[in-house]
Amino acid sequence: MANQLNIIAKRLPRVDGRDKVTGQARYAGDYRLPGMLHAKTLRSPYAHANIKSIDTSAAEKYPGVMAVVTYKDAPKVPMEADDEASSGGSARPSGVGVLDQTVRFVGDEVAAVAAVDRHAAEAAVKLIKVEYEVLPFVLDAEDAMKPGAPVVRAGGNIVGRKADTIKRGDVNKGFAEADFIFDDTYTTQHTNGSALEPRSCVANWQGDMLTVWKSSRNVYGDRSTLAKLFGLPLDNVRVIGPTIGSSYGNKDEGREAPLATMLSKKCGRPVMYEYTRQEELIGGRLRHAAKITLKIGLKKDMTVTAIYGKGILNTGPYNPGTAVTRRAGQGIVYLYTCENVQWDGYTVYTNAPTAGSHRGLGAPQGHFALESAIDKICYQQGWDPLEFRIKNGVKLEGQPGPKYTPVPGKYVPPQLVAGGIPFSSNGLLECLQKGAAAIGWSNRQKNGTATGTKRYGIGMACFIYQTGQASSSAIVKVNGDGTVNLLMGTIDVGQGSSTVMTAICAEELGVPYEAVRGTFADTQVTPYSHITAGSTCTFTSGMAAKVAAADAKRQILEAAAPLLKAKVEEMTIQNGKVIVIADPTKSITLAKAVATKGDGMIIAKSAIKAGSEEYIVNSFGVHLAEVEVDTETGEVKLLNFVAVHDSGRPINLNTIESQMYGGSFMGIGFGTMEEIMLDPNTGGPVTNDLCWFRVPTIMDMPKMTGILADVVDPVGPYGAKAMGEPGLVPTAPAIANAVFNAIGVQIPDIPITPTKVLAALKAAKA
């Protein structure tokens, strides 16, 4: 009875669902404080320039304007250091501040205005006069690596000045053992997450206390940044995360909160700063464009002897995205069994708009290259792509080669490179088998054998993705009437984590799901939590919620033991009642147990670091696509899509399915239509509104099937693993491989547009 799951792995309504669909949910943009002002920003018209002079006098005199700030008003503490500063050099020890005298992309912030309404702020911004010294610029990452390229940041354009190398074994040895070697290059584009809610925040500096309401995925990280920038003790900064209209990875990486804080400090009034959709597309954080070259050695029996990847990722001028570059290489070196692998990843500064964390954090770029390469190898050798993946996909025992030795007291890294250590669970083979059956793989034709103007194809792509490990904490309060309060610092960015945390707490405590009320993401009220990133919430914060609830349960059982004349181990909690397991008729209410406490409340807490000392904890899966390609127009129509995931046991079937479908939907946009294009002459974005930056709509949604592998992970809370980010990782290569199957020619560059399809067909015919 004690081990039976009553709430987990069921279909639960979202705890915030009613408020969202009825309009009761409060987003950052909904806050209205007395005397609140509205901010607007002047943005650079140049891709690279020094500000020689700036005159804000006319803007300051405009009716309704209360404050104007420029780089002269900015905190002296840099938001991010240059390479030379971080390595002890002296060329630019200050790094880059909230506002800088040098602008580095079209749309970079130059100045900000706070006025009584947005119309006054917009008018005042236009009155600011700036004299620029225009500098040479570079948009392409490969060009930025060349000698003599315009210098975007002090210390050079290559972040860290060299490749970030990860390797296992000896690739030269592996290539020497190969019967043949494959070599090709794949490219992916800049995209934008296009979250329903653009970035927004309200900053209120009163006396020595700063309060910020912000669409954020990391309230504790925002608090640390603001405290550092403005020289405040952490206790003087409160960051509250309201309901957020999705994040997709980077709503903590902008400058909106520091700018609003500067303005609020200067005028002594609360300031709201909301991005427009155009600002989001220009000044938001893009997905890194990538160029990845792969070299793969193989035997005639399909054995992989060596994999080498070189990746060049365009990070724009800020936010050095080394974690993105490393994640791009992780799938390349770990998805397929191979003793000899190496990844050289270059993160490169350019004058393109700033890139940042995006759902999947580099894995979509890396998997597009790898899974496209695998299909081309299979085409060249006459192999079945399914058979190849079944044979070579990494198994439960992990990778061969140089061994990783677990360190007592330290967890195995979720993005391991070394071999010799197993996964906690691995359902990749099951995913392949179920996916192939669902899509009808046995009916698939060989690449290029389809005829006629409408050609059909089926493709697949696998993935491996880390289950994020971090530190988190939780507080569980059991009230005198048996209701429960769960307090956690993590933020639900739309993926349903607040529902998952509530369900885990209720399950562990033995109370109805409806009895738990959660409070999340308020640095003054809730305990510390990690950033909502890297598919970390369910695994890490879920474990924190489970441990705190278990502590509360222990205290309740100890309080009930004298009343029921039973030992703690002889009792449990079920449906909000403490019962004797051997005789459930012997029971008391939770309220009666709690009443034995003098203060009428039981308080429990946890502070944990999630992970395993014995296993790698990763998620796996495969996506499969069926397409129709019109050879006269180049149009690709997605007919059928199957997503099969090993994410361990689902906590809530509704949310895990929405992650599969929603992630796949984003991947469809990434693979077939979305692209931020830049004017090579000016560096300015051409696709700066949703008229030109096309995102998929419901009309682009194919028939979709989501399948979960029958896997329960022994490490994760109730057997769960990562699901949030993997949903889009293999989508684009699955579609690309289906197009390859249909027309017999591979398109190594996404998005796959009609123009590219027609060009590929023309080249093949020639």
Side-chain angles (χ1 to χ4, degrees), residues 39-44 51 54-56 59 67-73 98-100 103 107-114 121 124-125 128-130 132 255 259 262-263 273 279:
K40 287 295 176 183
T41 302
L42 176 66
R43 295 182 176 274
S44 169
I51 298 173
I54 184 165
D55 182 357
T56 62
V68 181
V69 294
T70 71
Y71 72 89
K72 299 174 184 178
D73 306 285
V98 178
L99 293 174
D100 198 69
V103 290
D108 205 349
E109 293 98 341
V110 174
V113 173
V125 161
I128 299 173
K129 297 178 181 178
V130 185
Y132 295 97
R255 299 176 185 171
L259 286 172
M262 287 171 60
L263 291 165
Y273 182 19
E279 284 183 301

Side-chain angles (χ1 to χ4, degrees), residues 264 347 383 532-533:
S264 180
T347 310
W383 297 337
T532 299

Side-chain angles (χ1 to χ4, degrees), residues 170-179 181 297-298 304-307 340:
D170 183 345
V171 290
N172 292 326
K173 173 177 173 291
F175 287 126
E177 295 171 351
D179 291 327
I181 295 172
L298 301 104
V304 184
T305 63
I307 302 174
N340 306 296

Side-chain angles (χ1 to χ4, degrees), residues 479-491:
N479 302 305
D481 62 355
T483 58
V484 180
N485 296 114
L486 171 65
L487 288 82
M488 301 189 73
T490 186
I491 184 110

Side-chain angles (χ1 to χ4, degrees), residues 191-276:
T191 61
N192 182 284
S194 297
L196 188 63
E197 174 207 28
R199 295 157 204 273
S200 59
C201 72
V202 177
N204 189 20
W205 188 306
Q206 296 293 320
D208 61 353
M209 183 71 189
L210 171 63
T211 305
V212 174
W213 295 261
K214 178 176 181 287
S215 53
S216 169
R217 62 179 183 144
N218 187 13
V219 292
Y220 274 92
D222 282 326
R223 183 182 74 157
S224 295
T225 297
L226 291 168
K228 181 188 75 170
L229 285 173
F230 295 98
L232 292 170
L234 289 173
D235 191 51
N236 287 39
V237 182
R238 180 183 185 184
V239 180
I240 301 167
T243 304
I244 184 171
S246 71
S247 168
Y248 304 133
N250 58 58
K251 278 191 172 172
D252 59 318
E253 294 178 354
R255 299 176 185 171
E256 60 271 23
L259 286 172
T261 298
M262 287 171 60
L263 291 165
S264 180
K265 181 183 180 183
K266 189 167 186 176
C267 65
R269 291 169 64 170
V271 175
M272 172 178 282
Y273 182 19
E274 288 184 286
Y275 275 34
T276 63

